[in-house]
Amino acid sequence: MTFANVAHAADFRVTFLNPGGETGFWGDVSRTMAAAAADLDVDLEILHAERQPYIMEALLRKRLDDGDLPDYFVLVNESQSAGRLLQLMDGMPSKVFFLLNKLTPQQKANLEEHNIDLGNIVGSISPDNETAGYEMAQSLIDAARMVRQDGGPLNLLALTGDVSTPAGVQREMGMLRAVADNDDVKLLHAIPADWNETVAYRRASEVFARMPVDMVWAANDDIAFGARKAALEAGLTPGKDIFFAGLNWSERGMEAVHEGEMTMTHGGHFFAGAWSMVMLHDHFFRDFEGDVFVDVLFKMSPVTQQNVDLYLSALGDGNWDKIDFSLFSKTINNRSHYDFSAAAILDAARN
């Protein structure tokens, strides 16, 4: 587990319980969050759980025991762990904001049944994972059809994240909808890969040894690269014999799209770290009355061969400090709605 204080001398304080580490996707979430916190005068503390739900609980318990609590905790419902986290926070003065994965309806009902006060939850921001999952699958189908023009069935292997995290479940739902919409597609298996490249490699290798696969739908870029390694070892050529799609906007994912080895890397959702700071700034300095709960669902965007050069040139350096995230605030800019679109990100990165 790791601790980091990334901003000081600010107007209000936020603690982010990051379920991942300081590298990869969750590292990008933290870095966009830190860049936005600097622009918005947020005193931000980040605790990393390294993909271990029990460490998330231990980190939160220790932070609560230490006292001097922040104004807000940012939580993630990774592996549906948020129910236990909220039980630990019951009666605490800090507000709660959910990032990327919010409470499921069943969790909410269970917590209310056990008289856990949910009134301190002030908002959430999550991406449209279902649409992303659908578009990833459709990109695979379109690419495979161009190569396989005999009208025969197209065999799809889906390597999912896990069976409980809302984002993974919703992405899989989108994939299943695309399969249902295309009569020539046969779903061979939908196998959880635990968001892990090594696990994906092992599980894809087992499938490639038993049956032909035309397409691999991967719940994230790491999973896609694990399956790609297995395909290469099986004598298959990505982009010709077999097609891959992933999600995360990772640098190597974009490079694979550029080289034609992946049809798509969907994403942009690591900017939700920054958007959470924008929304909490607006909540803290709100000048409106009534219901203060804000639940934002934002669209992710696909990076394909048609637009990959644009994204690489604008965002490929990973320098989020060049973006002025205060431009996205409603209270600072007197706006009625948020624009967290890919187009807005690109414009801010280029200005």
Side-chain angles (χ1 to χ4, degrees), residues 36 39-40 278 323-330 332-333 335:
D39 291 337
L40 295 163
V278 171
I323 299 175
D324 181 1
F325 288 101
S326 69
L327 297 174
F328 294 88
S329 165
K330 289 196 298 187
I332 292 175
N333 300 286
R335 293 176 180 164

Side-chain angles (χ1 to χ4, degrees), residues 333-349:
N333 300 286
N334 194 28
R335 293 176 180 164
S336 61
H337 66 282
Y338 290 116
D339 182 2
F340 295 151
S341 65
I345 296 169
L346 288 170
D347 286 345

Side-chain angles (χ1 to χ4, degrees), residues 221 247-251 254 265-268 270 301 303 311 315:
D221 286 351
L247 186 150
N248 269 3
W249 277 15
S250 66
E251 181 179 358
M254 289 192 186
T265 176
H266 222 296
F270 55 76
S301 297
V303 172
Y311 280 85
L315 303 172

Side-chain angles (χ1 to χ4, degrees), residues 160-180:
T160 65
D162 61 46
V163 298
S164 59
T165 299
V169 173
Q170 292 156 10
R171 287 174 205 173
E172 184 176 357
M173 288 174 58
M175 177 274 296
L176 292 171
R177 180 163 63 90
V179 171

Side-chain angles (χ1 to χ4, degrees), residues 212-281:
V213 177
D214 300 299
M215 307 169 288
V216 177
W217 181 97
N220 69 8
D221 286 351
D222 286 350
I223 291 173
F225 278 97
R228 174 184 174 276
K229 178 183 177 183
L232 290 170
E233 291 182 0
L236 301 170
T237 302
K240 294 182 180 179
D241 304 320
I242 189 168
F243 297 90
F244 297 87
L247 186 150
N248 269 3
W249 277 15
S250 66
E251 181 179 358
R252 63 177 178 163
M254 289 192 186
E255 290 173 353
V257 170
H258 186 270
E259 297 302 317
E261 295 188 344
M262 286 174 59
T263 61
M264 173 184 296
T265 176
H266 222 296
H269 56 315
F270 55 76
F271 277 103
W275 307 148
S276 70
M277 295 298 96
V278 171
M279 292 175 66
L280 289 181
H281 172 277

